Amino acid sequence: MIFCEETIPVSTWTEAQAKRGLPFSGQAVRVLGGLALAALIYVGVRNQGHWQLLLVFGLLFGFILQRGRFCFASAFRDLFLLGEARVMKGILAGLAVATVGFTLVMYTFSPTIMAGRYIATANILPLGFHTLLAGVVFAIGMSLAGGCISGNLYRIGEGYVASAVALLGIFIGLLLLGYTWDFWWTASVSYSPKIWFPQSMGYVGSMLLTLLLVGISFIALLWWESRSRRHGIPIREAAAVESPGLGGQVRAMASRVFVDSWPVVTAGVLLGGLNTALFLLHHPWGVTGALYQMADAAATPLGLSPGTLTGLASLGGACNVGSERGEAFGLSHDSMIVGGMVLGSFVAASGAGEFKIRVPRQKRRLLQALIGGILMGYASALALGCTLGAFFSAVPSLALNGWLFAVGLLGGSYVGVKILRRLA
Amino acid sequence: MGETVPVVKLDVRGEICPYPMFKASEAMKKAKGSEVIEVLTDHPPALLTIPHEAVKLGWDVSIQRVASAEWKLTLTKSQVSKEGKT
């Protein structure tokens, strides 16, 4: 992978080196503990159809997110903060893979395209003013919280206390949107059209158009990086010095997978592929719906539940709230994905010696995380998905709403960077 | 390498992106002469962002693991010119 045309010498750094030499305290115990807990849940939900499979998907998502440090917040933020697009390129790689995969899945589900008919499980969402606004608000929130919703989920697995606070904020924000849903429903959502490319240009044309847009975005990123003269700098790994015996090779390979962080494009491609497989099984990757159900279930005994949201049942998408209510503790099969993500990240971080309970020393960082979380929760319910459901799974659904949400995310990240600089 | 190089210590443990990089960058820009900056962090992404920023500003980086999930980045003013060959 070459990020820039000029090669700048990087001195002695290699991550593997940095991590060698010291024992990881409690590492094995935590890895085994995490796997044991996963196994326990796996056995516990054995009577629940494909809950087990969704747990496995969640674990894999969490593992890959942690290993690839696949952070949507930094992908958008670093464009403006550093003029750098390293992580964004990984996201585009994932979008390209999923676009091909989703097209095949949708074609298989519904080879004939009819006017006014959409694939219910695809993330084809109403496209309107609220989509753009939600993108802006979401991105300000993720800048403040230092991670988007999936980012905070995997950070919880790494031991970040501030991320747990952000998740609390997300729950609050989701409920706040629930209380004000009727306003947005009347003001924008109810009359917003769904724009699904296949209805005007068929599957192949839509796939090619989406891939073209991803390609143009990639070129635009290269231009953006050259313009700001701030290139991504390839970190060269020092050549392995161990003897290349079989044992040494296996150890080096294991170290690459479990200890070194992965190239972000590798993570993006894997996540795009996995997202396709999940779509085939269930619906595309998203966490907003499951989190809303949990928030709603927690609020109900307090008499704070927003109740059924007008018109939502007809919308589909990541935020299919309202379906499956009434299951114990608000746990639906989607919560297997959420829980799996936290647990998968915990196992990955423990294995890599990156797990640590971290409490920010400045208490205002906790407030920052809470406010960021509230903004993200509110915006994700408004957009009917977060950076996953309304973007990473929406663009490959060949729908326009994913792109509009991304434009909002760009705008919000620009504002977010300005705010972050003041909070240093 | 001189023996009496002043060492600036920067403890950014507990901070998450982008602050470890912000603070390291600030310290490098403020540095005069041949100081060495030691940054202590527990945020793994900073092991990528700080070296990136350091190299842009013409500093060399070495990383040492000092505890479970804690790292010390030693930043030294680069001896190699930016235009140097690989």
Side-chain angles (χ1 to χ4, degrees):
Chain A
M1 230 184 332
I2 294 163
F3 296 127
C4 67
E5 43 277 78
E6 56 183 329
T7 311
I8 299 169
V10 175
S11 60
T12 53
W13 188 65
T14 111
E15 200 172 329
Q17 253 172 19
K19 288 178 174 171
R20 234 169 263 142
L22 280 162
F24 302 163
S25 62
Q27 182 190 20
V29 177
R30 277 196 298 268
V31 171
L32 292 176
L35 291 175
L37 183 56
L40 208 64
I41 300 173
Y42 188 87
V43 174
V45 298
R46 67 186 178 281
N47 296 326
Q48 299 286 353
H50 57 204
W51 286 41
Q52 287 180 321
L53 262 173
L54 296 181
L55 175 67
V56 173
F57 269 96
L59 290 167
L60 289 171
F61 281 131
F63 192 89
I64 298 169
L65 285 172
Q66 202 281 334
R67 298 289 56 227
R69 289 171 194 159
F70 202 82
C71 175
F72 287 90
S74 74
F76 282 91
R77 181 191 63 212
D78 291 351
L79 293 175
F80 302 108
L81 190 64
L82 306 170
E84 190 189 284
R86 192 184 63 86
V87 184
M88 190 55 91
K89 287 172 187 166
I91 291 177
L92 290 184
L95 287 178
V97 170
T99 297
V100 176
F102 276 36
T103 305
L104 289 171
V105 172
M106 290 191 288
Y107 178 79
T108 310
F109 284 174
S110 165
T112 338
I113 299 157
M114 281 176 286
R117 295 288 298 272
Y118 308 93
I119 293 171
T121 50
N123 290 16
I124 308 156
L125 304 168
L127 172 106
F129 167 70
H130 68 279
T131 313
L132 188 67
L133 181 74
V136 173
V137 173
F138 190 93
I140 294 173
M142 74 180 177
S143 299
L144 283 177
C148 67
I149 298 184
S150 62
N152 278 296
L153 288 174
Y154 86 75
R155 288 249 171 87
I156 291 174
E158 294 180 318
Y160 287 85
V161 171
S163 286
V165 174
L167 183 61
L168 178 69
I170 290 164
F171 285 137
I172 296 171
L174 288 166
L175 291 174
L176 289 177
L177 190 279
Y179 304 136
T180 49
W181 170 257
D182 283 344
F183 168 78
W184 294 108
W185 173 254
T186 317
S188 183
V189 183
S190 60
Y191 62 84
S192 295
K194 292 181 174 181
I195 298 180
W196 191 43
F197 300 138
Q199 284 179 334
S200 47
M201 56 189 84
Y203 281 119
V204 175
S206 309
M207 180 182 79
L208 293 176
L209 173 69
T210 303
L211 290 176
L212 183 72
L213 290 172
V214 171
I216 291 172
S217 308
F218 185 79
I219 306 279
L221 292 180
L222 295 180
W223 167 78
W224 182 257
E225 287 187 320
S226 68
R227 180 187 151 279
S228 59
R229 291 200 48 75
R230 296 266 205 140
H231 304 282
I233 291 154
I235 302 284
R236 285 184 287 117
E237 300 281 337
V241 283
E242 290 131 280
S243 65
L246 182 63
Q249 282 181 8
V250 170
R251 234 175 299 129
M253 186 53 99
S255 165
R256 282 196 175 180
V257 175
F258 297 109
V259 182
D260 299 353
S261 65
W262 295 357
V264 69
V265 170
T266 307
V269 167
L270 288 172
L271 291 172
L274 215 52
N275 197 2
T276 304
L278 182 61
F279 185 12
L280 194 60
L281 175 78
H282 183 59
H283 59 61
W285 189 20
V287 294
T288 309
L291 293 175
Y292 187 91
Q293 285 161 15
M294 292 180 202
D296 192 28
T300 302
L302 306 172
L304 294 173
S305 167
T308 308
L309 306 188
T310 320
L312 209 60
S314 64
L315 292 178
C319 193
N320 54 349
V321 308
S323 64
E324 291 195 89
R325 279 184 64 203
E327 290 186 66
F329 314 114
L331 294 182
S332 63
H333 51 246
D334 281 305
S335 57
M336 288 292 111
I337 296 178
V338 173
M341 283 164 67
V342 175
L343 207 47
S345 162
F346 172 73
V347 170
S350 300
E354 293 182 357
F355 177 85
K356 182 191 165 193
I357 301 288
R358 299 158 171 95
V359 188
R361 268 180 280 176
Q362 294 167 280
K363 294 303 160 228
R364 67 199 169 95
R365 292 278 186 251
L366 293 176
L367 185 66
Q368 205 175 318
L370 184 72
I371 294 171
I374 292 174
L375 292 176
M376 284 193 287
Y378 195 86
S380 64
L382 179 57
L384 305 173
C386 59
T387 36
L388 297 179
F391 173 57
F392 199 65
S393 295
V395 167
S397 296
L398 308 177
L400 189 57
N401 51 276
W403 292 100
L404 187 63
F405 190 66
V407 170
L409 291 174
L410 283 171
S413 296
Y414 176 79
V415 178
V417 164
K418 301 223 164 224
I419 301 173
L420 278 180
R421 287 189 192 280
R422 283 169 191 260
L423 295 174
Chain B
M1 286 285 162
E3 300 299 313
T4 54
V5 181
V7 176
V8 178
K9 287 186 193 277
L10 193 62
D11 186 350
V12 294
R13 283 176 300 172
E15 287 279 31
I16 64 164
C17 279
Y19 295 111
M21 184 276 293
F22 260 6
K23 291 182 174 173
S25 170
E26 211 170 86
M28 283 185 281
K29 284 173 185 159
K30 262 197 244 159
K32 294 186 187 76
S34 58
E35 292 164 1
V36 170
I37 302 174
E38 287 182 359
V39 187
L40 198 58
T41 181
D42 57 9
H43 188 55
L47 303 182
L48 211 55
T49 56
I50 294 177
H52 275 222
E53 193 64 13
V55 170
K56 280 177 211 160
L57 295 171
W59 293 64
D60 281 344
V61 186
S62 72
I63 303 183
Q64 201 190 349
R65 188 190 163 86
V66 290
S68 189
E70 269 181 34
W71 295 268
K72 186 175 79 179
L73 295 94
T74 309
L75 312 175
T76 45
K77 198 82 186 157
S78 180
Q79 305 297 314
V80 193
S81 89
K82 269 197 134 185
E83 305 305 314
K85 60 186 173 64
T86 51

